[in-house]
């Protein structure tokens, strides 16, 4: 499958509150996404997932690194060319209550991308909006109503319709169901899966919910304190998690079968302060398998995959056991 997105050594640091240091929100991330694929990015709250998504789209400017989208290096584009390319990259935000302008009708919200990019006449835009609303499961009459008149799940459908308006190649879905009732989450997830097939979309799915990621993703990247610590095909990662942090995350997923209760791995403490990350491996203060080298030397990435399928793990446990 051909490549749509390649991210290499992407960094986004923010000034600390006292101005003396930096917050390492994204700290050297590399990943790839094929056309028509879904890449899930998982990790605890505060690990940098959302910042990574926004930095890929240049909604937040990167501190350094490379983002190549469909053969185009984004960091070299001026404002005009970047705006034109944004038609192919859209985002669905986490909070369906805050991401929609309460002063605009739903029709104006969904049609706004078409207006901004000068696509079509007023009549063709109106028809396109009505078609988009139907596509995401809303009635045409919704176009004349306001966001406050809809439930959370319906608002998220409106946000998805807005993201589809420009027929993008890539959608970054940032915690698209975390603010919704459990009964509604599956409906939105199924909608995203259907739209992927109907529109030929590629997704980056950002979530802390591993069940959601397992359901939709082809590949999963696990993020900890601004860095990717493990990447593998979803089936491989959930069947054979290899980084101690990934193992702990997956062990915390509830199972409906009481006869298959796995022993949960309890991690001590909380994720370190990104203003002052630990030396060596950032995970070592919480890692049940930490060694002396973990406390002083940053680990390298190893490919422990078999049969030509990559399985990348950044951990000293695999020193000498894979391809560096």
């Amino acid at each position: 499958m051909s490549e749509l997105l390649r991210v290499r050594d992407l960094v986004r640091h923010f000034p600390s509150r006292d101005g003396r240091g930096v917050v390492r929100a994204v700290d050297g991330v590399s990943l790839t996404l094929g056309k028509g694929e879904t890449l899930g990015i998982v990790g605890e709250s505060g690990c940098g997932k959302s910042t990574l998504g926004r930095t890929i789209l240049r909604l937040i400017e990167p501190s350094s690194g490379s983002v190549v989208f469909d053969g185009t290096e984004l960091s070299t584009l001026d404002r005009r060319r970047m705006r034109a390319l944004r038609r192919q990259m859209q985002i669905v935000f986490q909070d369906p209550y805050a991401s929609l302008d309460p002063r605009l009708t739903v029709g104006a919200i969904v049609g706004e991308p078409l207006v901004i990019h000068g696509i079509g006449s007023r009549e063709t835009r109106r028809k396109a909006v009505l078609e988009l609303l139907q596509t995401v499961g809303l009635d045409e009459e919704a176009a004349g109503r306001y966001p406050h008149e809809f439930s959370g799940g319906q608002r998220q459908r409106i946000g998805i319709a807005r993201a589809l308006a420009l027929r993008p190649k890539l959608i970054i879905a940032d915690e698209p169901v975390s603010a919704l009732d459990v009964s509604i989450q599956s409906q939105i997830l199924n909608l995203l899966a259907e739209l992927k097939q109907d529109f030929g979309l590629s997704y980056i799915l950002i979530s802390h919910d591993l069940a959601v990621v397992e359901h939709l993703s082809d590949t999963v990247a696990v993020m900890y304190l601004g860095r990717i610590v493990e990447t593998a095909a979803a089936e491989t990662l959930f069947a054979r998690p290899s980084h101690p942090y990934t193992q702990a995350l997956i062990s915390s997923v509830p199972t409906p079968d009481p006869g298959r209760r796995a022993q949960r791995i309890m991690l001590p403490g909380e994720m370190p302060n990104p203003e002052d990350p630990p030396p060596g491996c950032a995970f070592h203060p919480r890692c049940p398998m930490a060694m002396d080298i973990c406390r002083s030397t940053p680990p390298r990435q190893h490919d422990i995959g078999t049969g030509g399928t990559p399985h990348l793990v950044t951990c000293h446990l695999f020193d000498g056991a894979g391809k560096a």
Side-chain angles (χ1 to χ4, degrees):
M1 186 172 291
S2 57
E3 185 178 277
L4 179 65
L5 179 73
R6 176 175 291 268
V7 177
R8 285 293 174 265
D9 301 320
L10 190 64
V11 173
R12 176 59 197 186
H13 292 169
F14 297 95
S16 60
R17 291 182 179 180
D18 60 13
R20 299 176 182 177
V22 295
V23 177
R24 302 173 184 272
V26 178
D27 201 22
V29 168
S30 297
L31 54 85
T32 58
L33 174 68
K35 293 181 179 179
E37 289 186 341
T38 298
L39 170 66
I41 300 178
V42 299
E44 293 171 278
S45 297
C47 72
K49 304 185 300 296
S50 294
T51 302
L52 172 61
R54 286 164 169 75
T55 305
I56 289 173
L57 295 179
R58 276 187 63 185
L59 297 178
I60 299 174
E61 291 293 335
S63 302
S64 63
S66 170
V67 178
V68 178
F69 175 78
D70 207 14
T72 301
E73 171 60 62
L74 300 189
S75 64
T76 62
L77 299 183
D78 58 24
R79 186 173 181 177
R80 179 182 61 82
R81 290 189 295 166
M82 187 65 211
R83 177 175 176 174
L85 197 62
R86 288 195 193 283
R87 292 175 59 172
Q88 302 178 39
M89 304 181 297
Q90 294 294 306
I91 186 169
V92 174
F93 294 99
Q94 175 179 359
D95 188 351
Y97 295 91
S99 61
L100 304 178
D101 191 333
R103 300 168 297 178
L104 299 180
T105 64
V106 168
I109 290 170
V110 175
E112 189 174 26
L114 301 173
V115 175
I116 290 173
H117 289 271
I119 297 174
S121 64
R122 178 177 295 182
E123 181 59 23
T124 58
R125 288 196 294 265
R126 187 187 71 82
K127 290 181 179 179
V129 167
L130 297 181
E131 290 175 1
L132 285 165
L133 292 176
Q134 289 182 325
T135 297
V136 299
L138 295 174
D139 295 332
E140 291 185 2
E141 65 178 20
R145 297 162 61 188
Y146 289 85
H148 73 269
E149 300 179 63
F150 295 89
S151 67
Q154 290 172 322
R155 292 188 196 194
Q156 197 62 294
R157 290 175 186 270
I158 295 166
I160 293 170
R162 178 176 59 185
L164 289 172
L166 297 173
R167 297 298 193 270
K169 296 179 180 179
L170 169 67
I171 288 181
I172 294 183
D174 185 6
E175 301 274 12
V177 297
S178 65
L180 306 179
D181 293 341
V182 174
S183 60
I184 304 300
Q185 290 182 6
S186 61
Q187 297 177 20
I188 298 300
L189 293 176
N190 290 334
L191 173 63
L192 290 172
E194 292 170 6
L195 294 174
K196 177 184 176 181
Q197 298 299 322
D198 295 343
F199 287 80
L201 295 168
S202 300
Y203 287 136
I204 292 180
L205 176 63
I206 297 170
S207 181
H208 65 271
D209 188 330
L210 274 75
V212 168
V213 170
E214 184 179 16
H215 178 65
L216 286 182
S217 300
D218 300 298
T219 304
V220 178
V222 181
M223 195 168 183
Y224 186 80
L225 204 66
R227 298 182 179 182
I228 301 295
V229 298
E230 184 168 4
T231 305
E235 183 178 355
T236 300
L237 186 129
F238 283 92
R240 188 164 56 92
S242 298
H243 193 283
Y245 179 61
T246 310
Q247 293 172 356
L249 285 182
I250 292 179
S251 77
S252 68
V253 178
T255 174
D257 184 356
R260 295 182 53 198
R261 290 181 181 175
Q263 184 175 358
R264 184 171 179 180
I265 302 173
M266 302 295 293
L267 296 178
E270 298 181 356
M271 195 162 51
N273 186 347
E275 293 184 34
D276 186 25
C281 174
F283 184 58
H284 86 255
R286 306 174 70 193
C287 181
M289 306 175 73
M291 304 174 289
D292 288 341
I293 191 174
C294 303
R295 299 176 178 87
S296 59
T297 306
R300 296 183 300 161
Q301 185 181 81
H302 302 281
D303 186 351
I304 62 171
T306 58
T309 302
H311 184 169
L312 307 177
V313 186
T314 304
C315 181
H316 286 297
L317 291 173
F318 299 93
D319 288 351
K323 296 174 286 185

